[in-house]
Amino acid sequence: MVLDPFSALGLASNVIQFVDFGGKLLSRATQLYQSVDGALAINTELETIVDDLSGISANLGITNAYQTRALSEDEKKLFELAESCQHLADELLLVLRRLKVQGPHRKYRSVRQALASTWKEKEISGYVTKLGEYRSQLTLHLITILSNQQSSVLKILNQLNERHQHFEVRSVNEPERLKADILAALKELSVEIVRQKDLTELNEKLVAFENEGTKLQTGLRILERLHFPSMESRHANIAVAHSSTFEWIFRHEPRDDVPKTFFLEWLVSQSGIYWINGKAGSGKSTLMKFLWEHQRTMEYLRIWSGDSVLVTASYFFWNSGIDMQKSQEGLLRSLLYSILQQCPSIMSILPSNGPYSRQVSWSLPELLSAFSLLRTHDTSTKFCFFIDGLDEYDGFHEDVIDMVKDLVVSPNIKICLSSRPWNVFEEAFGSNNDRKLRVQDFTREDIKLFVKCRLEDDRRFIRLEFRDKQYQDLVQEVVDKAQGVFLWVFLVVRSLLRGLVNFDTVSDLQRRLALLPSDLEKYYRYMLDSTEEVDHRQAAQILQTCLAADGPLSLITLSFFDEQDSDFAIKTEMRPWRKQDVEEICEMTQKRINARCTDLVEIMTSEASQAVSSYTVEFLHRTVKDFLETEEIRNLLSKRSDADFDADGYLCQAYLAQIKLIPSN
């Protein structure tokens, strides 16, 4: 058995208990010697004293468990001190047991007489001196252990604090405060005259320090079991709302062109579910990100929470991501992780035998059980969750609907969620008109603002605008043709800006706009066909590979897409690339994919420390993946690819080639 470093503090606490108990026992023995008849009421207490001292002695006998762990010198001496205390405790027990007379009732004789025959007053004085020495040694070793950064206790404490800061957990400084209190109490023990109260207070602080350290370790295990890769990536990759857009959602009164949403009333005073819905590409995820990050959202929620602690959390489903980005497990792990970051005290309501006590991940039943406990948690905490993209959940939508409905049974939990207006969601959340909004009904002015700003940010368009006043008509045509689909507007504006490279006039841009389909799927087909025919084969193979993958692909994985040999990985030599090679390959591959796939996929960058993992290839939007998975387009991609192209086979080859070429560090 290897004990954690904080158990050393528990051992120190046991030593203090023994010193305290031994001092009281020897003080009582001295009183008996000084009394006239030895008639103190100790006769009836000796049995209890023996039992208590036996327990303390047993607690001191755990030092052998530390032999397999690296210890500082003072920690070793602390454990040796515990052994010495155990030996002294055994001596005292032996004396106390000799006070008993043999017989059917095992009564104690006159205590003064017994002490006189079994325990000399000089011996008692020696024991008192020894206890004082133990107390001094304990004080010295504890001061050093709690001051020396090389002690395992402080090393682990510092590591725990760093890990909690990494996980952005609030209130991690309690052990530091307790450590300072203990050091102050130890200095009090350095004086010659020690009050009994001082030992008791020090013992209480050591126990509190040990408990707090154990709590930190448990909390860290819980967070580590909840966390998963890409937990924040979907949220990070959603476009930030354009300046001054979506502000209508916070208005108190409706305008002539924009109806009232009642979202503000829900934030401030209501519980339950608020449903944001809209057609594909209308900007639901961007709106959800806007609400989740906006300061006013939190200000209004604090009005709702009142004197209660407010805890908020979010989750953004992503159907093109890894399993944890499109499952109930991913949703619940992400929410619970965020909750415990903000309010670590809630960890105390979780069962002690949860998955964090074992080297396993949380199962769905265990997660549901944790949220069931959360629902019945005391009313001093209120929760608001933002859940985006229920339609991107990979499973029976009724399951996730039932789950969120179960959560809001509690008046202390409310949820803002978004999805497409599918029948299953309309039936579940659409009955209350004051608790829902349809995004495309509110964004006409937002789209107009976005188009104007994006075009006017281009210096070539500014020159064109100065010469041709028809540009306002162009903006209006984009707005009218968009039909509330922000994604279509984003793609069309990008196409128009590309036309400016060729010095298109406003009339040219209007003709270009007229050729662009207003339906998203037709527009995707237009994009698919707009690449040069010579690139159709490689474009089809790239898109088929992205569809075959379980989630976003590393840019390096796709860097082999023009390999002609189907066994290229087998024939690749083991010669790790230099970092410069990786960066150059990523840059070249990015340009080649952009040229062949024309906005259907995009290259995402992350803050990963290695260039290999910092670039990923993802579909522009869920609707792109849906489009590519239709039977018609699958057949088209298959026709454009080589007859023997196998996307799964390519992935296997690409992963093997990566193993051979990627630097080990």
Side-chain angles (χ1 to χ4, degrees):
M1 172 183 176
V2 180
L3 299 179
D4 63 88
F6 289 111
S7 295
L9 301 177
L11 187 61
S13 173
N14 294 336
V15 171
I16 290 175
Q17 282 186 339
F18 170 68
V19 172
D20 185 14
F21 186 90
K24 291 176 181 177
L25 175 63
L26 295 172
S27 175
R28 183 67 65 91
T30 302
Q31 292 176 37
L32 285 169
Y33 265 106
Q34 294 172 350
S35 67
V36 175
D37 56 4
L40 288 177
I42 198 171
N43 289 285
T44 59
E45 299 174 12
L46 282 176
E47 192 72 48
T48 301
I49 290 172
V50 170
D51 291 342
D52 290 346
L53 189 54
S54 297
I56 292 172
S57 176
N59 289 336
L60 290 167
I62 63 173
T63 55
N64 290 337
Y66 289 87
Q67 293 177 355
T68 58
R69 187 167 61 77
L71 302 170
S72 69
E73 284 303 311
D74 282 278
E75 286 171 321
K76 290 178 182 177
K77 290 175 181 176
L78 175 61
F79 303 140
E80 291 170 2
L81 175 61
E83 290 182 358
S84 298
C85 287
Q86 186 181 31
H87 294 323
L88 180 55
D90 292 342
E91 287 184 37
L92 293 176
L93 279 170
L94 184 62
V95 170
L96 290 172
R97 285 169 180 148
R98 284 176 184 165
L99 296 178
K100 290 183 178 181
V101 293
Q102 301 302 315
H105 302 295
R106 298 177 59 82
K107 293 181 181 178
Y108 288 97
R109 290 176 281 164
S110 164
V111 177
R112 188 169 184 269
Q113 177 188 350
L115 280 173
S117 62
T118 61
W119 216 358
K120 305 303 180 186
E121 188 171 4
K122 186 176 180 181
E123 290 178 341
I124 295 177
S125 177
Y127 286 134
V128 171
T129 301
K130 191 172 289 188
L131 283 176
E133 291 173 355
Y134 289 166
R135 188 200 74 220
S136 299
Q137 291 177 36
L138 174 67
T139 302
L140 176 63
H141 297 322
L142 273 179
I143 288 176
T144 306
I145 289 170
L146 294 178
S147 303
N148 181 6
Q149 294 298 323
Q150 297 306 310
S151 74
S152 59
V153 172
L154 286 196
K155 280 182 180 177
I156 295 297
L157 178 62
N158 292 335
Q159 289 172 10
L160 285 173
N161 277 332
E162 287 174 7
R163 292 292 290 159
H164 276 71
Q165 288 167 11
H166 169 74
F167 285 120
E168 299 179 351
V169 183
R170 294 180 187 171
S171 304
V172 295
N173 291 323
E174 182 65 10
E176 288 294 332
R177 184 190 65 78
L178 286 168
K179 185 182 77 172
D181 288 348
I182 291 170
L183 286 171
L186 288 169
K187 289 177 182 177
E188 292 289 329
L189 287 183
S190 299
V191 299
E192 290 188 11
I193 301 175
V194 179
R195 297 171 300 169
Q196 208 66 50
K197 186 178 76 168
D198 294 334
L199 285 171
T200 303
E201 289 178 353
L202 176 60
N203 183 49
E204 291 172 352
K205 289 172 181 175
L206 278 172
V207 171
F209 194 6
E210 180 189 10
N211 291 340
E212 194 64 29
T214 303
K215 192 189 302 180
L216 275 178
Q217 288 179 308
T218 301
L220 183 58
R221 282 196 296 270
I222 292 174
L223 291 173
E224 287 174 336
R225 298 290 184 274
L226 288 172
H227 192 267
F228 58 86
S230 304
M231 181 176 275
E232 298 291 336
S233 62
R234 172 56 180 161
H235 167 261
N237 290 339
I238 293 171
V240 176
H242 187 74
S243 176
S244 300
T245 58
F246 295 135
E247 294 291 343
W248 44 263
I249 200 165
F250 291 124
R251 290 198 186 106
H252 290 274
E253 298 298 331
R255 294 191 328 195
D256 293 340
D257 57 337
V258 180
K260 186 174 176 62
T261 68
F262 294 97
F263 181 74
L264 195 58
E265 287 81 354
W266 179 81
L267 276 182
V268 170
S269 60
Q270 300 172 6
S271 296
I273 292 171
Y274 193 97
W275 179 39
I276 293 174
N277 68 86
K279 61 175 70 173
S282 59
K284 298 182 296 296
S285 294
T286 302
L287 175 57
M288 289 292 284
K289 181 172 180 173
F290 169 84
L291 291 172
W292 165 244
E293 295 179 347
H294 206 291
Q295 182 180 351
R296 291 175 69 182
T297 303
M298 299 306 146
E299 289 174 356
Y300 290 129
L301 283 174
R302 288 190 187 97
I303 296 174
W304 168 67
S305 63
D307 294 332
S308 300
V309 175
L310 174 65
V311 176
T312 59
S314 68
Y315 182 80
F316 293 78
F317 278 103
W318 181 226
N319 190 261
S320 299
I322 63 173
D323 287 345
M324 282 294 134
Q325 292 176 293
K326 52 187 175 183
S327 64
Q328 280 194 72
E329 289 92 334
L331 166 64
L332 295 175
R333 281 173 65 172
S334 185
L335 293 181
L336 188 56
Y337 177 85
S338 186
I339 290 167
L340 299 180
Q341 275 184 310
Q342 299 169 67
C343 198
S345 61
I346 291 178
M347 293 180 191
S348 62
I349 72 171
L350 300 176
S352 59
N353 62 341
Y356 41 86
S357 64
R358 313 183 300 278
Q359 295 293 325
V360 295
S361 297
W362 291 68
S363 67
L364 181 57
E366 287 169 329
L367 288 164
L368 291 170
S369 175
F371 275 89
S372 178
L373 293 170
L374 201 66
R375 283 202 308 272
T376 57
H377 188 52
D378 66 89
T379 57
S380 62
T381 309
K382 289 195 172 184
F383 305 89
C384 182
F385 305 139
F386 292 80
I387 304 174
D388 174 59
L390 256 64
D391 53 284
E392 303 210 30
Y393 168 65
D394 187 18
F396 291 106
H397 291 106
E398 290 83 355
D399 293 341
V400 75
I401 287 170
D402 290 343
M403 188 206 70
V404 297
K405 282 188 169 183
D406 284 344
L407 284 177
V408 297
V409 167
S410 168
N412 298 315
I413 299 176
K414 63 181 178 181
I415 302 175
C416 175
L417 53 83
S418 74
S419 73
R420 297 187 200 179
W422 292 350
N423 289 340
V424 66
F425 300 122
E426 183 67 47
E427 183 178 347
F429 311 122
S431 60
N432 189 342
N433 289 329
D434 293 346
R435 296 283 190 90
K436 68 176 182 178
L437 68 84
R438 195 169 64 168
V439 176
Q440 62 265 27
D441 293 342
F442 297 85
T443 54
R444 185 177 179 85
E445 288 303 311
D446 289 345
I447 289 174
K448 186 174 182 179
L449 177 65
F450 173 80
V451 175
K452 281 174 62 79
C453 290
R454 286 298 302 273
L455 291 176
E456 291 173 0
D457 279 345
D458 191 287
R459 55 185 175 80
R460 293 163 299 192
F461 188 83
I462 293 174
R463 290 198 300 267
L464 184 62
E465 174 190 356
F466 181 75
R467 296 195 309 269
D468 193 337
K469 299 303 180 183
Q470 294 184 57
Y471 87 96
Q472 289 287 3
D473 295 336
L474 176 66
V475 171
Q476 194 61 47
E477 287 176 34
V478 174
V479 174
D480 291 340
K481 200 169 182 177
Q483 299 178 2
V485 181
F486 240 119
L487 177 60
W488 182 89
V489 175
F490 170 79
L491 293 170
V492 165
V493 170
R494 183 183 283 183
S495 176
L496 294 176
L497 290 174
R498 285 173 183 152
L500 292 175
V501 176
N502 303 320
F503 296 95
D504 285 2
T505 65
V506 170
S507 297
D508 294 330
L509 294 176
Q510 287 176 315
R511 282 192 293 272
R512 179 187 288 267
L513 177 62
L515 291 173
L516 299 177
S518 59
D519 178 79
L520 263 183
E521 284 203 1
K522 291 178 180 177
Y523 189 82
Y524 292 150
R525 178 59 187 263
Y526 169 84
M527 294 164 66
L528 195 60
D529 294 337
S530 65
T531 56
E532 294 185 37
E533 191 170 345
V534 69
D535 292 327
H536 280 181
R537 179 182 63 82
Q538 289 185 340
Q541 291 178 357
I542 291 170
L543 294 172
Q544 285 179 305
T545 303
C546 290
L547 286 172
D550 291 333
L553 284 171
S554 163
L555 191 56
I556 288 291
T557 304
L558 283 173
S559 67
F560 308 100
F561 70 81
D562 57 352
E563 290 284 353
Q564 299 297 314
D565 192 336
S566 59
D567 292 326
F568 68 89
I570 304 296
K571 298 174 182 178
T572 297
E573 296 180 6
M574 294 282 291
R575 48 177 183 82
W577 286 327
R578 298 169 302 166
K579 182 179 180 182
Q580 180 183 351
D581 296 330
V582 175
E583 292 173 349
E584 289 177 356
I585 289 168
C586 285
E587 182 180 0
M588 180 182 66
T589 305
Q590 179 173 355
K591 291 178 179 178
R592 300 185 71 200
I593 289 176
N594 286 341
R596 287 156 178 77
C597 297
T598 324
D599 296 335
L600 292 172
V601 298
E602 58 183 346
I603 313 302
M604 308 302 298
T605 58
S606 68
E607 297 179 356
S609 59
Q610 300 295 329
V612 176
S613 55
S614 61
Y615 297 94
T616 57
V617 183
E618 302 183 17
F619 292 115
L620 173 70
H621 191 262
R622 160 74 185 276
T623 52
V624 173
K625 184 182 179 187
D626 293 344
F627 164 73
L628 295 173
E629 287 182 330
T630 61
E631 184 178 0
E632 177 189 357
I633 302 303
R634 277 192 176 275
N635 290 336
L636 177 66
L637 294 178
S638 179
K639 182 179 178 181
R640 289 183 177 180
S641 301
D642 292 333
D644 59 349
F645 177 73
D646 175 18
D648 292 322
Y650 168 81
L651 284 172
C652 291
Q653 292 280 337
Y655 290 141
L656 177 57
Q658 279 181 248
I659 293 172
K660 290 184 173 183
L661 297 172
I662 297 303
S664 60
N665 60 349

